[in-house]
């Protein structure tokens, strides 16, 4: 879903993969700053990041309850 949206009207956007890495705290610190700077000004990327963070937090919660 994110890949399809990335193609549409996103000039100067970050990739869906980078948003996922950011949401999962796997993106390098220097790139995280750049991506966050972009996300602050891009409503589409901000929505996607919010969704990805919610999914990531859900996975963490599921793993915790399974322990």
């Amino acid at each position: 879903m994110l890949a399809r949206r990335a193609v549409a009207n996103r000039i100067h956007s970050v990739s869906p993969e980078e948003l996922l890495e950011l949401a999962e705290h796997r993106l390098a610190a220097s790139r995280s700053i750049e991506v966050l700077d972009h996300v602050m000004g891009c409503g589409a990327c901000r929505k996607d990041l919010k969704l990805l963070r919610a999914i990531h937090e859900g996975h963490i919660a599921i793993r915790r309850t399974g322990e």
Side-chain angles (χ1 to χ4, degrees), residues 1-27 31 35-36 38-39 42 44-53 55-56:
M1 177 177 87
L2 293 176
R4 280 184 287 157
R5 290 175 64 187
V7 176
N9 296 315
R10 290 197 183 175
I11 299 171
H12 306 294
S13 283
V14 298
S15 71
E17 293 80 14
E18 283 185 306
L19 288 175
L20 179 60
E21 289 175 10
L22 180 63
E24 295 178 342
H25 309 283
R26 297 184 294 118
L27 197 59
R31 183 62 182 147
V35 172
L36 285 170
H38 170 80
V39 167
C42 178
C45 286
R46 196 168 37 254
K47 285 181 182 179
D48 289 347
L49 181 60
K50 185 175 180 179
L51 172 65
L52 290 168
R53 282 183 170 163
I55 292 168
H56 178 66

